[in-house]
Amino acid sequence: QVQLVESGGGSVQVGGSLRLSCEASGSTYRRTWFRQAPGKEREGVAVIVTRTGFTVYADSVKGRFTISQDNAKNTVYLQMNSLKPEDTAMYYCAADSIARWDLPNYYKSWGQGTQVTVSS
């Protein structure tokens, strides 16, 4: 089980950009970004497979968000462009699950979260 630390959240206006980072204390085989808005369930945003770089995105962020990795730094990034008010949420990084990528209950490691707020 690795330790995960997220950073890069903040407040932006509609249409703005942010880049989140998730640094791990060791290697992982899958890293996923989730988000959770108040009163809503935690939802998968994007996943990247460490060894292959294969990525999957939620429909709500396709074309706007990009997940990437720097394996030498054990760090995964989430570049978020064209931000919308509905992107406002706490964003969490999670690592290593053998279940479907967007099911949060199966992940072994979680970061503390970083808040993203998009205002109009």
Side-chain angles (χ1 to χ4, degrees):
Q1 189 167 338
V2 298
Q3 304 300 314
L4 303 173
V5 178
E6 302 101 331
S7 61
S11 296
V12 295
Q13 293 191 331
V14 170
S17 298
L18 284 172
R19 189 177 82 154
L20 307 183
S21 298
C22 170
E23 184 175 0
S25 59
S27 60
T28 61
Y29 58 83
R30 177 201 288 185
R31 204 86 62 89
T32 303
W33 285 100
F34 285 86
R35 66 186 181 187
Q36 189 166 20
K40 294 189 176 181
E41 294 186 352
R42 194 167 293 192
E43 65 168 339
V45 175
V47 60
I48 188 164
V49 177
T50 304
R51 184 177 64 84
T52 64
F54 178 75
T55 60
V56 179
Y57 295 89
D59 288 344
S60 58
V61 306
K62 280 181 183 176
R64 301 188 298 121
F65 290 11
T66 303
I67 189 170
S68 61
Q69 61 187 358
D70 183 337
N71 290 341
K73 296 181 178 180
N74 287 331
T75 299
V76 167
Y77 305 96
L78 185 68
Q79 178 67 42
M80 305 185 295
N81 299 328
S82 302
L83 283 162
K84 305 175 181 181
E86 51 264 44
D87 295 317
T88 296
M90 185 71 80
Y91 283 71
Y92 297 92
C93 179
D96 296 343
S97 162
I98 60 173
R100 200 179 76 198
W101 74 274
D102 59 344
L103 298 178
N105 292 344
Y106 297 90
Y107 280 81
K108 296 180 180 180
S109 301
W110 288 88
Q112 81 287 354
T114 186
Q115 177 68 37
V116 172
T117 303
V118 184
S119 58
S120 56

